[in-house]
Amino acid sequence: MDELIIPNKEELQNKIQKFKKDGKNSIHIVSDFDKTLTKAFDKGKKVHGAYAILREQRYLSEDYADKAFKLYDKYHPYEIDQSLPDKEKKIKMDQWWDEHLELMIKSGINKEVFIDIAKKKLVLPRKGLREFINLLKKNEIPLLIFSAGLGDIIREFLIKKKCFNKKIKIIANFFKFEENGKVNGYESDVVHIFNKKEVEHQENFPNRNNIILLGDNLGDLGMVEGIDYEEIIKIGFLNEKIEEQKEEYLKNFDLIILNDGTLKEVNKILKEILI
């Protein structure tokens, strides 16, 4: 059974009742991907994110990992520097992504890599994901997946799990491919932690002013920054370092799912709203 914390049960129930009253056509879902719709741990070990999979599974050239870590050492201090304004951080993050893209291209990234990752089940779905997707599909509720990761991996994963449909929009980093499958750039502007906001995409969901947000860290709350919504239910997955982070989660989420739990409670809330 999942371990849960509900900071204010009455407030959460009031929000659920509003969603129910306003109807399914008033709702859309905004979710992070890694460690939110997917598992954070498997048999006690951390599940790798997209970039770690590329390194650990040796999909790219032998020197890729070493050079990628050098970029991390160069730019990560800017990412965590609390004294650096977000505008300057964004410039540094853009530089990091540009240099990393160039490195991946030189290291042999190609379309077959993403197909193989999905085939080998290197990304693990959080239990209850298919029911979650099916509930949204049945009720024609849009799902917006935001990720600073690789969109091609997310899309191939959802297709492989038979979870992809036209109501799902993925805002992530998608590659442009040449005819031979080689990567020659990104399809659009890079998505990273300092520009991961839904505000630019609000036009996709006219009149859907009630939001359910799912994320695994406090930064995911920024996905709806600037949105003019009526009500929001914020669900947080607190996968690790629980005691250190619990107080901030209690302040910011309506429901907290502990220890890499399932989507069971999320699906329960959806059913309560929709049935």
Side-chain angles (χ1 to χ4, degrees):
M1 182 177 287
D2 291 335
E3 295 181 62
L4 310 169
I5 302 176
I6 302 174
N8 188 323
K9 291 183 179 180
E10 183 179 355
E11 184 178 346
L12 175 58
Q13 193 58 42
N14 287 340
K15 289 183 178 186
I16 289 170
Q17 291 307 312
K18 174 174 172 48
F19 276 54
K20 190 178 182 76
K21 179 183 176 183
D22 292 350
K24 63 184 181 181
N25 293 333
S26 73
I27 303 168
H28 76 276
I29 315 293
V30 180
S31 180
D32 175 51
F33 183 72
D34 286 329
K35 302 178 185 178
T36 297
L37 297 182
T38 64
K39 287 179 63 62
F41 292 90
D42 181 39
K43 298 174 183 175
K45 294 182 179 180
K46 284 188 177 183
V47 176
H48 290 310
Y51 298 104
I53 288 172
L54 293 177
R55 291 194 305 269
E56 298 296 326
Q57 298 294 319
R58 302 185 183 279
Y59 279 107
L60 306 182
S61 62
E62 288 186 14
D63 61 352
Y64 166 73
D66 182 56
K67 290 181 177 179
F69 280 125
K70 284 179 179 176
L71 286 176
Y72 176 88
D73 292 339
K74 177 181 177 181
Y75 286 106
H76 183 60
Y78 296 112
E79 184 179 18
I80 61 174
D81 185 349
Q82 297 298 317
S83 66
L84 194 66
D86 280 356
K87 185 176 180 180
E88 292 182 38
K89 283 187 180 184
K90 183 181 182 301
I91 292 170
K92 292 297 183 183
M93 294 304 101
D94 287 342
Q95 291 172 349
W96 187 358
W97 279 89
D98 288 343
E99 290 182 38
H100 188 241
L101 171 63
E102 185 178 348
L103 172 61
M104 286 192 291
I105 291 172
K106 287 180 178 177
S107 301
I109 192 77
N110 62 77
K111 196 167 190 175
E112 289 302 315
V113 167
F114 307 114
I115 296 171
D116 195 63
I117 289 172
K119 189 187 300 180
K120 288 182 177 176
K121 300 180 181 178
L122 298 174
V123 181
L124 301 177
R126 194 174 288 279
K127 188 175 181 181
L129 177 63
R130 185 169 292 178
E131 182 182 9
F132 172 71
I133 297 291
N134 286 341
L135 275 169
L136 300 183
K137 182 181 178 182
K138 180 181 177 181
N139 291 279
E140 298 188 322
I141 296 172
L143 167 61
L144 179 60
I145 298 174
F146 258 97
S147 176
L150 298 176
D152 300 280
I153 288 179
I154 297 171
R155 182 165 54 197
E156 290 297 333
F157 165 82
L158 291 173
I159 290 170
K160 189 71 178 176
K161 293 297 177 185
K162 296 182 172 57
C163 287
F164 194 69
N165 63 69
K166 64 181 182 180
K167 286 290 184 179
I168 297 175
K169 184 175 179 61
I170 303 170
I171 307 297
N173 297 301
F174 285 92
F175 288 118
K176 286 191 296 186
F177 297 99
E178 298 175 357
E179 287 186 14
N180 59 9
K182 287 186 177 180
V183 171
N184 64 6
Y186 288 116
E187 281 188 2
S188 59
D189 292 342
V190 165
V191 180
H192 54 65
I193 192 168
F194 293 105
N195 65 4
K196 193 179 173 187
K197 297 177 182 177
E198 192 198 7
V199 64
E200 299 170 21
H201 311 283
Q202 189 174 13
E203 69 275 8
N204 292 305
F205 309 110
N207 304 316
R208 290 186 176 269
N209 297 321
N210 291 328
I211 300 172
I212 298 177
L213 179 145
L214 286 74
D216 71 296
N217 64 65
L218 296 172
D220 290 330
L221 298 169
M223 293 187 294
V224 293
E225 187 176 320
I227 290 294
D228 185 22
Y229 55 80
E230 288 188 17
E231 191 56 271
I232 184 168
I233 296 174
K234 293 173 288 185
I235 300 172
F237 290 86
L238 184 46
N239 297 311
E240 58 181 328
K241 297 180 180 177
I242 290 170
E243 290 308 314
E244 298 98 303
Q245 300 185 84
K246 186 163 69 173
E247 186 175 344
E248 287 301 315
Y249 273 65
L250 287 169
K251 292 176 186 175
N252 287 284
F253 289 100
D254 299 297
L255 168 66
I256 304 159
I257 299 169
L258 303 174
N259 297 314
D260 202 24
T262 73
L263 284 159
K264 180 179 179 181
E265 195 66 21
V266 178
N267 293 336
K268 181 181 174 182
I269 288 173
L270 278 172
K271 289 175 185 175
E272 188 173 349
I273 290 168
L274 299 170
I275 296 172

